[in-house]
Amino acid sequence: MKKLLFALFALLTINSFSQTKNSIDKPYIESSGKADTLVIPNKIWINVLLMEKDFKGKKSVEDIEKEMIQKLQEIGVDVNKTLSVNDISSNYKFYLLKQTDIFKSKSYSILVKNASEASKVFIGLEKIGISNVRIEKIENSDEKKIKLLINGKAMLNAKETAESFTKPLNQKVGNAIQISNFEDFSSQLAGSVSGIAIRGSRSFYAEEPSNEPNIEFEKIKISSSVQVRFLVE
């Protein structure tokens, strides 16, 4: 019985190895494909840093925070849903060493949907003396779905490239037997400042609403690069 089981196991192993070897021995063609698209960001995180030293100690972080929240509400920002606290700190350890004044600071994130909302936040906060404001991160909420579509286009591109070689030889491209995907992290964001850029033709902090600059974000680049081995029939 043991000999029979061993014989069956050996036979299955040989058949499996034979099938693998046969698929490798079959003629194949290897080609690469690329695809990309540009999308407008619809999730923009704005970082706001409130620092007492910016107001020369005349206002506490709590006072500045109240003014900030009031201004954000005035320009239509839903602070309950889009405003979050990152951290709070002070220079107390430096005070112990240098006997300087203690100033607290507090960091926030504000989530907006487009460049128009972002510009209102920048302009509104600048008007109340808050200037430590920067774009922290941008995303598109449909990025994962778009990535799947781009992967498909990259695969079709690879197949079309393979067919351009096999067609003159009256041969056909068969099934894919190996697929490799290469992530292109260097080109995911287009922009000039930490991967992000804001473009406007006028002064960013305009005094009158009618003079608001025409600001737009650089589009996010979503790309896919694949290398595929196709059987040749």
Side-chain angles (χ1 to χ4, degrees):
M1 184 67 180
K2 289 183 179 179
K3 290 183 179 180
L4 178 60
L5 290 173
F6 177 78
L8 288 173
F9 177 76
L11 181 61
L12 289 172
T13 303
I14 292 171
N15 284 339
S16 177
F17 174 76
S18 177
Q19 289 174 5
T20 303
K21 188 174 185 300
N22 287 339
S23 65
I24 294 175
D25 286 344
K26 288 181 180 180
Y28 67 85
I29 182 171
E30 188 170 277
S31 65
S32 60
K34 293 182 179 181
D36 61 63
T37 188
L38 295 174
V39 296
I40 298 173
N42 58 10
K43 295 177 73 175
I44 299 112
W45 282 268
I46 301 172
N47 178 266
V48 181
L49 181 61
L50 302 185
M51 304 179 70
E52 289 179 344
K53 69 177 183 179
D54 289 344
F55 293 85
K56 299 180 180 179
K58 295 179 180 179
K59 292 182 181 180
S60 66
V61 163
E62 291 74 20
D63 292 333
I64 307 167
E65 181 184 55
K66 289 179 182 178
E67 292 183 17
M68 177 187 71
I69 291 174
Q70 183 178 354
K71 176 57 68 174
L72 291 175
Q73 290 174 332
E74 287 178 6
I75 60 179
V77 175
D78 188 343
V79 294
N80 294 321
K81 293 182 178 179
T82 63
L83 179 66
S84 60
V85 179
N86 292 332
D87 60 69
I88 184 169
S89 62
S90 71
N91 65 338
Y92 181 68
K93 59 182 179 180
F94 298 104
Y95 170 79
L96 294 176
L97 296 174
K98 300 181 180 181
Q99 296 296 309
T100 57
D101 294 331
I102 300 175
F103 294 115
K104 289 188 295 183
S105 64
K106 199 170 183 180
S107 177
Y108 303 81
S109 281
I110 304 170
L111 176 62
V112 296
K113 297 178 181 178
N114 51 53
S116 175
E117 291 182 7
S119 67
K120 289 179 181 178
V121 170
F122 273 80
I123 294 168
L125 296 183
E126 174 68 12
K127 287 181 179 180
I128 59 173
I130 300 173
S131 57
N132 285 314
V133 186
R134 64 181 179 85
I135 301 299
E136 186 176 3
K137 183 173 63 172
I138 61 173
E139 287 182 5
N140 185 286
S141 56
D142 295 322
E143 190 168 340
K144 290 184 178 179
K145 294 180 181 179
I146 297 170
K147 179 69 174 177
L148 294 177
L149 294 174
I150 295 300
N151 287 341
K153 290 183 178 181
M155 286 294 299
L156 290 175
N157 184 272
K159 187 177 182 180
E160 289 175 359
T161 301
E163 288 174 342
S164 70
F165 287 98
T166 57
K167 190 174 181 180
L169 303 175
N170 294 321
Q171 292 179 301
K172 294 182 179 180
V173 173
N175 293 332
I177 58 173
Q178 184 176 323
I179 302 172
S180 300
N181 177 242
F182 304 98
E183 292 289 343
D184 187 8
F185 295 104
S186 61
S187 63
Q188 288 182 350
L189 292 179
S192 58
V193 181
S194 299
I196 301 165
I198 303 175
R199 298 182 298 190
S201 57
R202 300 181 184 178
S203 174
F204 194 84
Y205 304 115
E207 290 297 328
E208 299 296 331
S210 59
N211 291 330
E212 284 190 12
N214 182 22
I215 299 169
E216 59 181 18
F217 288 95
E218 295 285 354
K219 294 180 179 180
I220 301 171
K221 184 178 182 181
I222 303 175
S223 61
S224 178
S225 179
V226 298
Q227 192 163 350
V228 191
R229 284 185 179 181
F230 296 99
L231 291 175
V232 176
E233 300 174 351

